[in-house]
Amino acid sequence: MPLVRASQLVRPLRRPQRPEQSRRPPLIRELLLVSVLYLAYKLGRRAANGQFHDAYENAERIWDLERALRLPSEAAVQDLVLHSEALIRFINVYYATVHFPATVAFLIWMYWRRPGFYVWVRWVITWLTGAALVLHLLVPLAPPRLFRPLRMVDTGLEYGPAVYDKPDPDSMANQFAAMPSLHVGWAVLIAVGLIVATRSRWRWLWLAHPLITVTAVVATAHHYWMDGLVACAILGAVLFFLRPPRRSAPQATGGGRRHSADGTPTTVTTTEVTRPDAVPEVGPAGPGALREGRAATELAGPEVRLAPKDG
């Protein structure tokens, strides 16, 4: 039988493409798509503006529901934070300046560095924002700073920077679209997306972003606890139906069971030669001693058989 060199047994394996290495969607198309979706959201919020009476009635219902659920008072959280002017100013700045730029930076980073995960994130944020817009239309809600019975302070007006002026039904900024809180929903999505798409042992620190955001929206009297809880519930439902792509497992040097980019288990058999002067001999009786000049003559399925040289 003809000799087959052992080096021919070591065939290069084509690694499955990982989600973070997937091809990026066309940039112009993505810019147009995201811009149209955001514009539709802003116009939808404006259409829900001006429902003052319903917004105050819903605020009373939300407040009563939270007390029935024994949730802590938003006013108590604000009183605690107001003991430090530096802290309340930091929270005001965080609320006013981090929310939207952080989301944009998150989408850009995902698009550039994790394109496979970017498509998943784009659909998740689309469904989350769309569901939030429906609730803005159906459940107008006066935030705590506008619900006088709570007597909470508008920290933005008191300490700056202020995000809103007095409520105006003709304004593009609908101050009664508090339910649910997209500040909280988008912040949780950013943390989840970065934890799923990255491998660093420090990636769990991204959970600090939604934690600070929740504290900020409550302490500044822009949202109730329920606004954030409903946003998280919607996000959880969206993530249940839109699962993130699976990352492929790190490639091992030997054979074994592996997972492809879509998570399908595959079995790959390899032979690794670590010494150029030694070739593993495998016969019917099992592994033998290393001998020079022995070679494989047949490769059938996952089994490797080596026969001695003829003559």
Side-chain angles (χ1 to χ4, degrees), residues 269-289:
T269 303
T270 62
T271 303
E272 179 177 335
V273 178
T274 57
R275 291 173 50 194
D277 59 339
V279 180
E281 179 183 6
V282 182

Side-chain angles (χ1 to χ4, degrees), residues 131-149:
L133 178 59
V134 172
L135 278 183
H136 294 338
L137 296 169
L138 297 179
V139 189
L141 180 64
R145 61 189 176 81
L146 297 178
F147 188 47
R148 296 306 178 189

Side-chain angles (χ1 to χ4, degrees), residues 35-50 52 133 136-137 145 163-177:
S35 299
V36 168
L37 291 174
Y38 183 72
L39 180 61
Y41 171 72
K42 295 295 289 185
L43 293 176
R45 280 174 58 100
R46 188 184 187 284
N49 201 359
F52 291 6
L133 178 59
H136 294 338
L137 296 169
R145 61 189 176 81
V163 179
Y164 301 107
D165 295 324
K166 293 182 179 180
D168 184 356
D170 296 325
S171 173
M172 282 294 292
N174 182 3
Q175 300 187 45
F176 297 99

Side-chain angles (χ1 to χ4, degrees), residues 42-104:
K42 295 295 289 185
L43 293 176
R45 280 174 58 100
R46 188 184 187 284
N49 201 359
Q51 303 179 49
F52 291 6
H53 179 72
D54 293 340
Y56 288 116
E57 285 189 346
N58 289 331
E60 186 173 356
R61 295 189 183 100
I62 291 295
W63 180 257
D64 292 340
L65 175 61
E66 288 187 348
R67 304 294 72 77
L69 296 175
R70 300 185 181 276
L71 294 178
S73 170
E74 290 86 351
V77 175
Q78 186 180 78
D79 289 342
L80 183 63
V81 173
L82 286 176
H83 282 85
S84 171
E85 183 174 342
L87 178 59
I88 193 61
R89 288 185 181 277
F90 166 76
I91 288 178
N92 283 341
V93 171
Y94 201 92
Y95 177 86
T97 63
V98 174
H99 166 62
F100 189 74
T103 305
V104 172

Side-chain angles (χ1 to χ4, degrees), residues 4 60 75 89 97 110 171 176 178 183 238 242 244 248 255 279 303:
V4 179
E60 186 173 356
R89 288 185 181 277
T97 63
M110 279 289 186
S171 173
F176 297 99
H183 270 74
V238 174
L242 297 179
S248 57
V279 180
E303 299 179 356

Side-chain angles (χ1 to χ4, degrees), residues 18-299:
R18 294 181 295 174
E20 54 266 36
Q21 296 174 337
S22 301
R23 185 176 180 181
R24 298 183 187 91
L27 178 59
I28 301 300
R29 187 193 70 182
E30 291 302 310
L31 290 175
L32 289 175
L33 179 60
V34 173
S35 299
V36 168
L37 291 174
Y38 183 72
L39 180 61
Y41 171 72
K42 295 295 289 185
L43 293 176
R45 280 174 58 100
R46 188 184 187 284
N49 201 359
Q51 303 179 49
F52 291 6
H53 179 72
D54 293 340
Y56 288 116
E57 285 189 346
N58 289 331
E60 186 173 356
R61 295 189 183 100
I62 291 295
W63 180 257
D64 292 340
L65 175 61
E66 288 187 348
R67 304 294 72 77
L69 296 175
R70 300 185 181 276
L71 294 178
S73 170
E74 290 86 351
V77 175
Q78 186 180 78
D79 289 342
L80 183 63
V81 173
L82 286 176
H83 282 85
S84 171
E85 183 174 342
L87 178 59
I88 193 61
R89 288 185 181 277
F90 166 76
I91 288 178
N92 283 341
V93 171
Y94 201 92
Y95 177 86
T97 63
V98 174
H99 166 62
F100 189 74
T103 305
V104 172
F106 168 67
L107 291 174
I108 292 174
W109 189 87
M110 279 289 186
Y111 177 85
W112 188 254
R113 299 296 301 272
R114 299 292 189 273
F117 287 101
Y118 164 80
V119 176
W120 164 67
V121 166
R122 185 240 289 154
W123 281 115
V124 171
I125 200 171
T126 297
W127 283 104
L128 171 63
T129 307
L133 178 59
V134 172
L135 278 183
H136 294 338
L137 296 169
L138 297 179
V139 189
L141 180 64
R145 61 189 176 81
L146 297 178
F147 188 47
R148 296 306 178 189
L150 299 185
R151 297 181 179 179
M152 293 184 69
V153 177
D154 188 337
T155 59
L157 292 177
E158 291 290 332
Y159 300 95
V163 179
Y164 301 107
D165 295 324
K166 293 182 179 180
D168 184 356
D170 296 325
S171 173
M172 282 294 292
N174 182 3
Q175 300 187 45
F176 297 99
M179 172 65 74
S181 170
L182 279 182
H183 270 74
V184 175
W186 286 5
V188 175
L189 174 58
I190 289 173
V192 170
L194 291 173
I195 290 172
V196 169
T198 59
R199 300 178 183 270
S200 170
R201 68 179 63 181
W202 302 104
R203 67 187 187 278
W204 296 99
L205 292 178
W206 286 109
L207 292 174
H209 176 47
L211 290 176
I212 297 174
T213 300
V214 169
T215 303
V217 300
V218 172
T220 57
H222 283 91
H223 287 282
Y224 303 91
W225 296 112
M226 290 301 299
D227 301 339
L229 292 174
V230 171
C232 291
I234 295 173
L235 177 60
V238 174
L239 292 176
F240 178 80
F241 291 102
L242 297 179
R243 303 294 180 87
R246 293 184 181 181
R247 295 177 303 191
S248 57
Q251 299 293 322
T253 56
R257 195 174 182 83
R258 300 178 182 173
H259 292 273
S260 61
D262 59 358
T264 304
T266 58
T267 301
V268 180
T269 303
T270 62
T271 303
E272 179 177 335
V273 178
T274 57
R275 291 173 50 194
D277 59 339
V279 180
E281 179 183 6
V282 182
L290 294 176
R291 300 176 183 176
E292 293 185 22
R294 306 300 298 270
T297 57
E298 183 178 1
L299 182 61

Side-chain angles (χ1 to χ4, degrees), residues 7-15 258 268 270-271:
S7 59
Q8 293 178 312
L9 293 175
V10 187
R11 298 182 179 180
L13 299 175
R14 183 180 181 181
R15 295 185 177 183
R258 300 178 182 173
V268 180
T270 62
T271 303

